[in-house]
Amino acid sequence: MNRQPLRLAILEATRILEQAGVASARNDAELIAAHVLGIDRGRLPLTPLVDPPVVESMRRVVEQRAKRVPLQHLTGWAALGDITVDVGAGVFVPRPETELLLEWGLKLLKGREYPVVVDLCTGSGALALAVAHARPDAVVYAVDNDPTALAWARHNADARATAGDTPVRLYSGDVTDPTVFAELDGLVDLVLCNPPYVPEGTDVSREVADHDPPQAVFAPGGGLAVIRHVVGMAARLLKPGGGVAMEHDDTHGGAVPELLRARKVLSDVADHQDLAGRARFATALRG
């Protein structure tokens, strides 16, 4: 059996993905190679030659990716913070830009013992579970209104608890319901939220249009309908000195801070950019 250079297989995969319009072609080709080989991406240079069945397996996965199936659906996981969560059909795939929101939240919790954290619109559970992993002393609550998302979140929460993380408390509920987490009013250190926020009718990539659940992506009211409820919920949940961080559309850099400022109990409102320099998430503290 003639072994083949892995480097050439990755170059060929990159070429196919570039032709298909995949923005991160080289990155995806390397991650597909690592997935097929069952190794970390950083170990690819230590595998110069591969057997033909490996090249064939890579080709099959690359074909799917070229049809714009999300990479995370093909590998079965997505990373956030220092953990990975399983993802697939019916659940929103965590994005790299959410790392910045997580970082802001963990920084706010520094020096606080046994903080109470709430993750709204939890989806796969990634944000809640990343916080629970980084802060074993935290009491972390998470909520979603979608049964499919909650099934994924439950699966991921069980896996993280088995791995030794402090279990999160997972609930079915809707952020538009003023009674959700009423027992936590005024007791929460940190509210995190990556809500549906893309204005309806916005052109999105095929990966999002064909594979992300639309109710986790799009929101009416110019993309602000759910965010309005999240702002109100954060205002009632936070204790003095507590903080909220929520992701938003890159067109919301003015609108979301304005909604936060409109709440008298919230102060220190700021908007933050992602790594590409786009307005991406807003934060505020409870006065």
Side-chain angles (χ1 to χ4, degrees), residues 1 86 160 255 276:
M1 204 184 272
D86 290 351
R160 290 311 316 164

Side-chain angles (χ1 to χ4, degrees), residues 181-196:
F181 292 146
E183 69 281 11
L184 296 177
D185 283 2
L187 300 175
V188 177
D189 291 275
L190 175 64
V191 173
L192 295 173
C193 185
N194 186 5

